[in-house]
Amino acid sequence: MAGGAVGGGYLPAATPAFAQALPKSPIEAPEHPPGSFAGIVNKVKPGVVSVKVKLDDSASDDDEGGSTGPNGQNLQNVPPQLREFFKRFGENGGPGGMQPQHRGSRGAVGSGFIISADGYVVTNNHVVDHAKTVQVTLDDGRTLDAKVIGKDAKTDVALLKIKEGGNFPYVQFGKTAPQVGDWVVAIGNPFGLGGTVTAGIVSARGRDIGAGPYDDFLQIDAPINKGNSGGPTFNVNGEVVGVNTAIASPSGGSVGLAFAIPSDTVQAVVDQLRTDGKVARGYLGVQIQPVTQDIAEGLGLQKAKGALVDHAENGTPAAKAGLKSGDVIEKVNGESVDSARELSRRIASMKPGAKVELSYLRGGKSDTATVTLGTMPTDGSKVAAREDDGSGQVRLGLGLAPAAQVGLSDQGVAVVQVDPDGPAAAKGIEQGDLILDVGGQSVSSPSDVAAQVRSAESSGRKAVLMRVKSAKGQTRFVAISLSKNAG
């Protein structure tokens, strides 16, 4: 029996020493157990809202169907591996479908967060695009009318203002960027279930998912689903470090691949929207392309870094500052530029009228130029930068003739023949293209091309750089690897 009593958990009745060891009162559990996000959630959740939109009549059938992305992209023309990146978190979207935010119900739902006591709200542009009316539902259950103050399609950020006056709870942007591996908490309105909290870590930074010209997303693995668009991602201090915008998913649901706009980008855009209702971006006026390894060898560079100036538009800030075709921009205000896309983002993040010091290489020598940025055109007739993915690079082995001789142009050397089975055809060089210069020198005959190729070989270059103009009038740099039969 004694053994059974012990096994049943009974204590001896008379053991004074043991009794004195018992606590005199129950141990109080901590308010939030270690590892809990409850403290953060309680602090910030009142500042997160659900956003409901009714669409105006300008929303086209494509906007409501499954064939377009948030900025009007025709998803039928998008490579399959990128289509899911254009998925936005809308209402009533079928699993695995490519539906954008707008639905046949002429409405959309999303998320947002209040950033000031007077009721300014941040969300995604694609949540409120084509909005006829907008309402936000607060954490306390109130549904209030809001108006769109401004929106920016290029970064997918929009700013709203609650129409009713009041002293609203709000959240703040983080002062430092999160690091890969940091914990984050996402709060939003997935599938219309407002106030939903999920947690994860920052999986990567600087993601380019092909959604826009200034992609620089945080990748997080906190579960995100349709309706989370525009909602905040918080750090462990309760500060906003990102705005949830897109997911990659073969099923339409969360698979741990979510993307958020970094808070520094959001804050810069919101500041302009709040002041001006629109975003004005800095403008250089150059067409640029990446410095590939072949191009770096053609220029004699040790590393494939920077942005290669393909062309400086006449009358633009870049042209006025003396930048020319063939320059490689390496730094902006003393900070290194790793790629053409990074240069585009850096310049676009600055305000028109700002003075910028550009460090560049020309003919193997370093130089600097001070540029007063213009305003990026918004009519689509010009762009601040054009990037070439390198797919048009070619090698020699082409049939050439003076451009004037074949009536194509009064300058340059015409490509009159391309071996369809050769490397040039595989790289996109076509009959009718013009070679304008080789190794930085203008050419007008096949012998000029051959001479510059030999010059590059004699100087120990592994590649020779050419500037080529397509039949459509677009120019680009291509680096041709040199071999024994290159001439």
Side-chain angles (χ1 to χ4, degrees):
M1 293 292 296
V6 174
Y10 294 102
L11 296 175
T15 311
F18 185 86
Q20 291 176 3
L22 293 173
K24 295 181 180 179
S25 60
I27 299 175
E28 293 184 3
E31 183 179 358
H32 303 301
S36 171
F37 295 106
I40 302 169
V41 173
N42 291 339
K43 173 184 175 182
V44 301
K45 193 166 175 280
V48 182
V49 301
S50 299
V51 180
K52 186 174 183 179
V53 174
K54 288 186 179 180
L55 303 177
D56 63 23
D57 294 335
S58 66
S60 67
D61 291 339
D62 282 344
D63 291 326
E64 298 176 72
S67 61
T68 61
N71 299 323
Q73 302 97 334
N74 183 351
L75 295 180
Q76 301 303 319
N77 297 327
V78 174
Q81 65 269 28
L82 290 181
R83 288 180 186 168
E84 286 296 333
F85 287 119
F86 286 93
K87 178 183 289 294
R88 305 299 178 168
F89 314 128
E91 183 182 34
N92 301 329
M98 289 311 304
Q99 296 88 345
Q101 182 70 33
H102 302 139
R103 303 266 61 86
S105 62
R106 309 297 294 176
V109 295
S111 305
F113 55 98
I114 306 172
I115 59 169
S116 65
D118 55 351
Y120 280 94
V121 176
V122 173
T123 187
N124 280 146
N125 169 71
H126 75 262
V127 171
V128 297
D129 196 21
H130 297 295
K132 183 176 182 179
T133 63
V134 181
Q135 291 183 318
V136 297
T137 301
L138 278 62
D139 188 55
D140 61 13
R142 287 182 294 164
T143 296
L144 305 174
D145 292 334
K147 61 181 179 180
V148 178
I149 299 299
K151 52 189 180 180
D152 179 51
K154 288 185 171 64
T155 56
D156 201 11
V157 173
L159 182 66
L160 315 177
K161 175 70 166 62
I162 298 174
K163 293 181 179 180
E164 181 177 310
N167 186 19
F168 298 98
Y170 64 94
V171 296
Q172 295 180 321
F173 289 105
K175 297 179 176 61
T176 58
Q179 301 299 307
V180 174
D182 283 353
W183 282 105
V184 288
V185 175
I187 304 180
N189 183 35
F191 301 106
L193 301 172
T196 299
V197 180
T198 57
I201 63 169
V202 176
S203 304
R205 295 173 52 183
R207 288 298 198 208
D208 175 6
I209 64 174
Y214 309 119
D215 282 14
D216 187 25
F217 289 102
L218 297 175
Q219 180 183 326
I220 63 174
D221 69 353
I224 298 297
N225 288 285
K226 299 165 188 166
N228 274 111
S229 270
T233 295
F234 295 100
N235 62 18
V236 293
N237 297 319
E239 300 168 326
V240 178
V241 295
V243 175
N244 301 318
T245 298
I247 60 173
S249 170
S251 63
S254 173
V255 293
L257 287 171
F259 301 94
I261 310 166
S263 60
D264 56 349
T265 298
V266 177
Q267 193 167 7
V269 171
V270 164
D271 287 346
Q272 289 200 55
L273 293 178
R274 190 170 183 173
T275 303
D276 305 320
K278 60 182 181 180
V279 176
R281 292 183 166 86
Y283 175 66
L284 272 179
V286 291
Q287 293 180 346
I288 56 175
Q289 65 184 77
V291 178
T292 64
Q293 187 59 46
D294 283 347
I295 288 177
E297 292 173 354
L299 291 169
L301 304 178
Q302 293 183 348
K303 295 182 178 180
K305 293 179 62 177
L308 177 62
V309 176
D310 179 70
H311 178 65
E313 301 284 349
N314 291 333
T316 62
K320 292 176 181 178
L323 289 176
K324 297 180 180 179
S325 174
D327 292 344
V328 178
I329 299 174
E330 296 187 305
K331 295 181 181 179
V332 175
N333 290 335
E335 296 184 3
S336 296
V337 172
D338 289 335
S339 66
R341 180 169 287 272
E342 181 181 347
L343 176 64
S344 297
R345 286 197 299 260
R346 294 269 289 276
I347 296 300
S349 70
M350 300 177 183
K351 292 184 177 181
K355 290 188 176 181
V356 178
E357 183 181 83
L358 300 179
S359 301
Y360 63 93
L361 283 176
R362 177 182 295 170
K365 297 181 180 179
S366 299
D367 204 346
T368 60
T370 300
V371 182
T372 301
L373 297 180
T375 302
M376 183 183 295
T378 58
D379 60 2
S381 60
K382 294 182 179 180
V383 292
R386 176 183 61 80
E387 295 193 27
D388 188 321
D389 63 4
S391 62
Q393 296 175 39
V394 297
R395 302 178 188 272
L396 295 183
L398 302 168
L400 304 175
Q405 179 177 316
V406 296
L408 287 179
S409 174
D410 58 357
Q411 60 179 339
V413 178
V415 176
V416 296
Q417 186 177 3
V418 180
D419 181 356
D421 297 321
K427 294 295 185 178
I429 290 294
E430 298 178 350
Q431 182 177 337
D433 288 350
L434 293 176
I435 299 174
L436 301 178
D437 57 60
V438 180
Q441 300 295 318
S442 298
V443 293
S444 58
S445 67
S447 60
D448 290 343
V449 175
Q452 292 304 318
V453 170
R454 287 193 294 270
S455 176
E457 285 179 320
S458 63
S459 64
R461 297 278 177 88
K462 294 182 179 180
V464 63
L465 196 66
M466 295 183 177
R467 189 161 65 100
V468 179
K469 184 176 182 179
S470 72
K472 295 180 180 180
Q474 296 177 333
T475 61
R476 70 188 187 281
F477 282 94
V478 294
I480 292 88
S481 298
L482 297 176
S483 61
K484 292 181 180 180
N485 59 356

